[in-house]
Amino acid sequence: MTYCVGLKIDRGLVFMSDTRTNAGIDSISTFRKMHVWEEPGERLIVLMSAGNLATTQAVVSLLDERTKAVSERAPTLLETPSMYQTARLVGNTVKEVIASSSPDGQRADAAFNASFILGGQVRGSEPRLFMIYPEGNFVEASDDTPFFQIGETKYGKPIIVRAFDRQMSFAETAKLLMVSFDSTLRSNLSVGLPLDLLFYERDSFAVKLKKRISQDDPYYRTVTEGWSDALKSAFASLPDFPE
């Protein structure tokens, strides 16, 4: 299991992902789920993945290899004219990988399923954010739905729904996501630290910040401990049920 979130704010895009892929008493593995392609001054593309590890790695490897061997497939991630066309390219690659792995083709409930959050900006257009499904189709973030989650979404969603505001600063969205991830980590052992965080500022065509957050990160500890104390205080301040 995994947990990834992509947010679209007025200032740009914010991404966060965990790094745990398997969890058990004696089996815990860590793999990077956030991948970045950057062409300074021209485009910035971020892709986060959830689902079957072999499928997600195959998709990312194919996309990456084709940027280095252009003759194999055109356009590549570094050549698409828009983020919409980039989403189509990723969706087609997902279909290609799943179809080659599963004789039944791509289904949302297949053993080889995988879903992705794709975001970024190509010069000449606005920053855009997409969710790509195992079938290869996709939807785009809008004013009504300005964020996407993949993986273990249910525990971390309530705080985002209640507190998210498109006018937030990067610092505020980082705080919001850390609370969302803390709620998920405490509820599901299949999601785990360290976390990867990335800020993209609109029209910069470059990563603003990319950081790996570990258990010992002082700010992460301050937020998670402060959130726990705030919840306890809020609960205690509510009136008791009348008997």
Side-chain angles (χ1 to χ4, degrees):
M1 186 57 73
T2 188
Y3 183 40
C4 301
V5 183
L7 295 168
K8 186 176 181 181
I9 59 176
D10 290 342
R11 289 192 59 185
L13 301 169
V14 181
F15 304 88
M16 184 176 277
S17 64
D18 84 316
T19 54
R20 181 168 293 180
T21 56
N22 298 299
I25 295 176
D26 58 357
S27 177
I28 297 177
S29 301
T30 298
F31 285 90
R32 182 163 53 99
K33 302 168 188 175
M34 182 187 296
H35 306 272
V36 182
W37 290 267
E38 185 176 1
E39 190 175 6
E42 291 297 326
R43 72 184 63 212
L44 187 287
I45 296 169
V46 180
L47 186 67
M48 297 187 295
S49 59
N52 181 276
L53 181 60
T55 300
T56 60
Q57 287 190 339
V59 169
V60 171
S61 295
L62 268 179
L63 291 168
D64 193 48
E65 285 184 5
R66 287 168 176 170
T67 65
K68 300 167 184 175
V70 181
S71 60
E72 290 188 13
R73 182 65 60 90
T76 70
L77 280 178
L78 300 181
E79 297 175 314
T80 50
S82 67
M83 283 304 300
Y84 177 82
Q85 293 299 328
T86 305
R88 288 190 63 186
L89 175 60
V90 174
N92 289 336
T93 306
V94 173
K95 288 194 292 184
E96 177 185 348
V97 169
I98 294 180
S100 66
S101 302
S102 172
D104 297 328
Q106 50 277 3
R107 305 189 321 272
D109 60 347
F112 300 99
N113 73 342
S115 54
F116 298 83
I117 292 175
L118 170 72
Q121 185 177 15
V122 175
R123 180 170 290 281
S125 61
E126 293 289 305
R128 300 174 77 174
L129 185 68
F130 300 88
M131 181 189 292
I132 302 172
Y133 298 101
E135 296 83 358
N137 57 335
F138 53 87
V139 294
E140 183 174 3
S142 65
D143 290 340
D144 294 326
T145 307
F147 67 90
F148 288 129
Q149 303 167 281
I150 53 176
E152 181 56 272
T153 62
K154 58 183 176 290
Y155 301 110
K157 186 173 183 178
I159 182 61
I160 299 178
V161 171
R162 286 177 178 269
F164 177 75
D165 188 321
R166 289 193 55 150
Q167 296 182 343
M168 279 182 162
S169 66
F170 285 115
E172 289 172 324
T173 56
K175 177 171 61 176
L176 175 64
L177 287 177
M178 286 190 188
V179 171
S180 176
F181 272 74
D182 178 64
S183 300
T184 305
L185 266 63
R186 290 174 182 269
S187 303
N188 192 327
L189 292 177
S190 68
V191 178
L193 293 159
L195 308 176
D196 287 327
L197 172 67
L198 186 146
F199 297 156
Y200 170 70
E201 188 157 20
R202 65 184 302 125
D203 300 328
S204 66
F205 305 103
V207 172
K208 179 179 177 64
L209 177 143
K210 187 178 181 183
K211 181 177 182 179
R212 175 155 285 192
I213 300 162
S214 67
Q215 181 68 49
D216 297 328
D217 183 271
Y219 180 72
Y220 176 78
R221 292 179 65 88
T222 297
V223 169
T224 58
E225 292 171 4
W227 180 244
S228 293
D229 292 342
L231 284 176
K232 292 175 183 177
S233 177
F235 177 78
S237 69
L238 295 172
D240 292 336
F241 178 78
E243 298 184 15

